[in-house]
Amino acid sequence: MAAPDKVFSLEGKVLKLDTAEDLEAHIGPLRAMDDVEEVRILGNTLGVGACKRLGEVLATKKSLKVANLADIFTGRLLNEIPEALSSLLTSILNLPNLHTINLNDNAFGLNTQAPLVAFLSSHVPLQHLYLNNNGLGPHAGILIADALSELHAKKEAARKSGQEVPYLETVICGRNRLENGSMLAWAKAFSLHNNIKEIKMVQNGIRQEGIEQLLTEGLNHTTGLKVLDLQDNTFTIKGARALAKVISLWGDIQELGIGDSLLGPKGSVLLADALSKGQNKKLETLRLQYNDITSAGVKGFASAAKDGLPALRRIELNGNKFTEDDESILILQELLEERKEERGGDVIDEDTWGVDSLSDLEELDSDEEEEEEEEEVPPEERAEKLVKEAEEAQEEPTVQLKDDEVDALAKKLEKTEI
């Protein structure tokens, strides 16, 4: 985080800035800051004119490291956003120290992908990307992932030329309806950016085949991963089996989120068995709420916590199918309480320790149907199915930038040297 005197902020002022003149009334201090390292524009709404002027000013700030442009297009027309975003991203493309870009909560969808793709495929200093709740859909998801794959090639070329180039370390891309159709592209991107540390792709409508592809053809290469959050997608036994297969590769993993993902009774046992092998000794937080986990699964996680997860301090299990006085829950509570007393220090955040509140447990129906075992699908057949879904995703209609705007952006990129 930048020092306060190196941060320019309009955060949360709820300004409606349509024109360059509207913006000028607020950016005098930014113009005067030669060594600004972070700008926070989030929580305002900017039109095309305001974005062009902001871009002109930011283009001169060579020390800029962080650009927070979240939630800056509320109330804007669909045809305004591509030009406005293009003005901003084209202007900051050449900034040599800009390693973090936050574009959360902007309604991009497929219509606004062109300037975003152009920036992400070319901004070699990029280290941390925040693209959460942008309404991308699977087609735009493919284009974004492909742009990141292209970025990897440019990063490698820059390194070969002797430049010091950071690795891509963070990708936050949740609530974007990425679905199965974009998982081939995302698996490829992550297999290339294999030094990544944090990935969050929650609530994306990814089904078990896509989860399997992502884990076994992409995230299996990210051996330095520290945080993985795939909550609110669909695992089932197929995804659970894939996760159990690759989790031992993540020796540095500290936080794993698989809540609300239909792990199921058998899938949870598979995951617990994998964690019990002692290959994830740095894992501190395990999020497993609302997964149809039964007493057998809880027993497995209690055993894993005791014997294979020495750093575990927090496990979330609410919304599953066991009783609050389950013997294994009592073992977990006692174990994590002991660790809190030993390692918690003087100031303790209770929400980061122990077992979560079990206020919403489900009863296990005695005549509940046997969990169905899913057939193993050969990798070739799985890939073929995902390719078909990707092709269907790419048939989505899109509104592109005007030809002259695309040409201008292309010319700008041709001249770019990082």
Side-chain angles (χ1 to χ4, degrees):
M1 185 175 291
D5 61 342
K6 295 185 178 181
V7 176
F8 172 78
S9 180
L10 295 177
E11 181 176 354
K13 292 184 179 294
V14 199
L15 301 171
K16 188 174 186 293
L17 307 172
D18 297 324
T19 65
E21 291 71 25
D22 292 338
L23 184 72
E24 280 294 347
H26 302 278
I27 61 167
L30 176 60
R31 286 187 179 279
M33 297 173 71
D34 293 330
D35 59 349
V36 63
E37 294 184 0
E38 182 176 351
V39 293
R40 301 173 187 166
I41 312 298
L42 65 160
N44 302 285
T45 178
L46 279 65
V48 174
C51 283
K52 285 183 176 179
R53 181 58 53 85
L54 179 59
E56 291 168 4
V57 175
L58 292 180
T60 67
K61 306 301 179 183
K62 302 302 182 184
S63 60
L64 188 64
K65 297 179 179 179
V66 179
N68 192 328
L69 306 173
D71 190 19
I72 61 170
F73 294 124
T74 298
R76 295 295 163 182
L77 298 176
L78 184 63
N79 60 1
E80 282 185 279
I81 299 176
E83 186 179 355
L85 183 65
S86 179
S87 298
L88 275 175
L89 296 184
T90 305
S91 297
I92 63 178
L93 183 62
N94 280 326
L95 296 180
N97 297 300
L98 180 62
H99 57 63
T100 300
I101 182 84
N102 187 331
L103 292 164
N104 290 348
D105 303 318
N106 287 307
F108 293 154
L110 188 54
N111 299 322
T112 313
Q113 51 79 24
L116 193 54
V117 165
F119 177 82
L120 293 178
S121 63
S122 302
H123 188 62
V124 172
L126 185 64
Q127 197 170 359
H128 307 289
L129 173 62
Y130 296 83
L131 263 182
N132 203 64
N133 190 31
N134 301 110
L136 294 177
H139 186 173
I142 291 170
L143 297 173
I144 297 300
D146 286 347
L148 293 177
S149 293
E150 189 175 342
L151 176 66
H152 176 265
K154 292 181 179 176
K155 282 179 176 280
E156 288 299 299
R159 289 189 185 102
K160 288 179 181 177
S161 71
Q163 297 181 48
E164 191 171 323
V165 176
Y167 292 106
L168 182 65
E169 291 188 6
T170 304
V171 172
I172 310 298
C173 194
R175 300 186 66 189
N176 270 311
R177 201 171 55 83
L178 297 178
E179 300 179 359
N180 278 9
S182 69
M183 286 304 104
L184 285 171
W186 280 103
K188 178 184 176 182
F190 288 133
S191 72
L192 295 170
H193 292 284
N194 54 19
N195 288 286
I196 202 159
K197 306 296 184 190
E198 180 175 3
I199 298 171
K200 294 185 177 182
M201 300 179 76
V202 304
Q203 204 176 84
N204 269 310
I206 309 168
R207 300 189 304 281
Q208 55 267 36
E209 300 87 358
I211 290 291
E212 184 181 26
Q213 179 74 22
L214 182 67
L215 290 169
T216 61
E217 301 295 334
L219 300 187
N220 57 316
H221 296 277
T222 60
T223 53
L225 195 61
K226 292 185 177 181
V227 177
L228 177 62
D229 195 343
L230 294 173
Q231 295 185 96
D232 203 3
N233 291 291
T234 302
F235 273 66
T236 72
I237 187 71
K238 185 187 295 290
R241 188 181 291 115
L243 179 59
K245 179 180 177 181
V246 303
I247 198 167
S248 63
L249 302 172
W250 304 329
D252 292 328
I253 193 84
Q254 296 174 4
E255 180 179 333
L256 179 63
I258 312 292
D260 201 9
S261 295
L262 287 176
L263 273 183
K266 292 181 180 177
S268 62
V269 170
L270 284 175
L271 177 58
D273 287 347
L275 290 171
S276 69
K277 294 178 180 177
Q279 301 300 308
N280 308 104
K281 294 185 182 299
K282 297 180 182 180
L283 183 64
E284 297 180 353
T285 302
L286 189 54
R287 307 189 193 283
L288 297 165
Q289 296 184 337
Y290 299 95
N291 266 312
D292 292 340
I293 298 171
T294 62
S295 181
V298 179
K299 183 177 181 180
F301 289 118
S303 176
K306 181 180 178 183
D307 300 324
L309 302 173
L312 189 71
R313 53 194 279 177
R314 173 75 169 181
I315 186 168
E316 298 181 359
L317 288 164
N318 193 27
N320 286 297
K321 296 183 176 181
F322 53 83
T323 61
E324 194 168 354
D325 58 356
D326 187 290
E327 182 181 357
S328 298
I329 283 292
L330 301 178
I331 291 172
L332 273 169
Q333 289 171 332
E334 183 177 341
L335 174 66
L336 299 183
E337 182 66 25
E338 288 176 0
R339 290 180 181 176
K340 182 179 74 172
E341 291 178 3
E342 291 173 5
R343 311 168 194 169
D346 296 330
V347 180
I348 294 176
D349 179 358
E350 295 292 342
D351 289 337
T352 65
W353 289 91
V355 179
D356 62 328
S357 169
L358 301 176
S359 59
D360 196 24
L361 294 175
E362 294 184 37
E363 290 186 12
L364 182 61
D365 194 338
S366 58
D367 60 353
E368 193 165 318
E369 291 185 13
E370 180 79 11
E371 184 182 10
E372 290 187 14
E373 187 76 24
E374 296 182 43
E375 292 183 10
E376 282 276 11
V377 178
E380 299 81 8
E381 187 177 330
R382 182 184 74 223
E384 184 178 340
K385 181 177 180 181
L386 291 174
V387 166
K388 183 178 179 181
E389 295 198 35
E391 289 171 348
E392 291 172 354
Q394 288 174 299
E395 290 174 2
E396 293 182 37
T398 177
V399 177
Q400 299 287 352
L401 288 174
K402 299 173 187 174
D403 289 344
D404 57 343
E405 292 168 348
V406 174
D407 291 344
L409 186 56
K411 289 176 181 177
K412 173 74 176 178
L413 293 175
E414 286 173 5
K415 297 175 184 178
T416 298
E417 292 184 6
I418 302 295

